[in-house]
Amino acid sequence: LEISLKQLKDKSTGHIVELSKRDDVINRLKLQRYTLNVEVIALKSQLEALKTRPTPAAKGAAAKSNVVSAMRHWIPQRSYR
C-alpha cells in the first residue's frame, strides 16, 4: 500500500510539472499574440495614413496652387496660371 501511495504521489507530481510547463508555454504564446496584435494595429494605422496621404501629382498641384495664390496676393494686377 505504501509503495502504491508513493507511486501515485510521484505520478501526480509528474503531472503537476507537466501542467506547469504547459502553462509556461501558453503564457509565452499569449504574450507573443499580444505583441503581434499591437504590431498589426500599428501597421494598420500606418496603412491608413498612407492611404490618406496625397499623391505626388496632387502635391504638385497643391504646391502650384499655393504659389499662384501667393503671387496673386503680392501682384494682383497680373494673371498667373
Side-chain angles (χ1 to χ4, degrees), residues 41-72:
I41 290 168
L43 289 171
K44 282 182 179 180
S45 69
Q46 287 177 6
L47 178 62
E48 288 304 315
L50 289 173
K51 283 181 180 178
T52 58
R53 192 170 75 179
T55 63
K59 280 185 185 178
K64 182 178 177 182
S65 173
N66 289 340
V67 169
V68 170
S69 295
M71 291 174 77
R72 284 187 183 142

Side-chain angles (χ1 to χ4, degrees), residues 11-39:
K11 190 175 182 180
S12 67
T13 302
H15 287 167
I16 290 171
V17 168
E18 184 64 32
L19 288 173
S20 178
K21 287 178 184 177
R22 288 181 184 184
D23 282 345
D24 288 344
V25 170
I26 289 169
N27 288 333
R28 246 184 285 125
L29 289 172
K30 283 181 180 179
L31 181 62
Q32 193 176 24
R33 181 187 65 191
Y34 175 77
T35 303
L36 290 173
N37 282 337
V38 169
E39 287 181 36

Side-chain angles (χ1 to χ4, degrees), residues 69-81:
S69 295
M71 291 174 77
R72 284 187 183 142
H73 175 73
W74 292 106
I75 310 171
Q77 67 272 17
R78 291 195 176 180
S79 173
Y80 297 94
R81 291 183 189 229

